Amino acid sequence: MKTLILSLLLLLNCKAFAQSDYSKLDVNFGLGTNFYQGHFQPVWNLQAEYHINARWSLLYNYNIGGLDSSKLYVHAPMSLFAVGPVTRFLSQNSFTFSDFLGALAVGALTALIPEGVAYHYPLAYRYDLSAYANPLGLSLVFTDSYMLDKGVRYHTNLGCKLTYYSRFGVLANVHTQLNYLGSYGFYPSAGFGLGYAFGHRNIGSSE
């Protein structure tokens, strides 16, 4: 009896992993809202999520949002901001043409460093629940009192997301998160997104 119960638990666990493994790369566009000091402001999102396995994924976030009518920010992973400085530093220390090409390649590859990670749990068939953290983000903040070169701020968040995967690769999700933006402090946000799961499995109804 113990063997039977153990076997069933293992099968259920394997099935749970299989249900969550719908794609290799998710790309989605989203619309959300920030709530900052009593004000709601819109946020437009573009997110790429690369699935390492059924449980873990790497996150890349790009968005434009506002805190109030006078504060607008443009957000991207730190790695994107680092492409220019890394390429410039390596190219300045290049002594041959091949070194220069290598510097350009390494600089471009810097952009592949993710902003954050997510842990996934298969909530139900085709439904994936994930908890995520994005510690490596920066934003350019535009305000009435700061010039662009003084407006770079550390920008991080953590939250949770519920995603539905269709059999055709189209996905839909909702999320809620807590954000921290430099000297502006903490604020919550929420939103939804639509996208496509590249490399998805064409899962039939019999599974």
Side-chain angles (χ1 to χ4, degrees), residues 47 59 61 117-119 130-134 157-161 175-178:
Q47 184 188 67
L59 304 176
N61 301 287
V117 296
Y119 179 80
S130 63
Y132 59 86
N134 292 293
N157 61 63
L158 55 87
C160 60
K161 180 173 67 173
H175 74 272
T176 182
Q177 64 187 35
L178 178 65

Side-chain angles (χ1 to χ4, degrees), residues 107-128:
L109 289 174
T110 303
L112 297 180
I113 299 174
E115 179 182 353
V117 296
Y119 179 80
H120 298 262
Y121 179 79
L123 191 64
Y125 184 60
R126 298 193 184 279
Y127 288 90
D128 177 85

Side-chain angles (χ1 to χ4, degrees), residues 60 62 77 79-80 83 106-114:
Y60 302 82
Y62 308 87
S79 56
L80 189 64
V83 169
V106 172
L109 289 174
T110 303
L112 297 180
I113 299 174

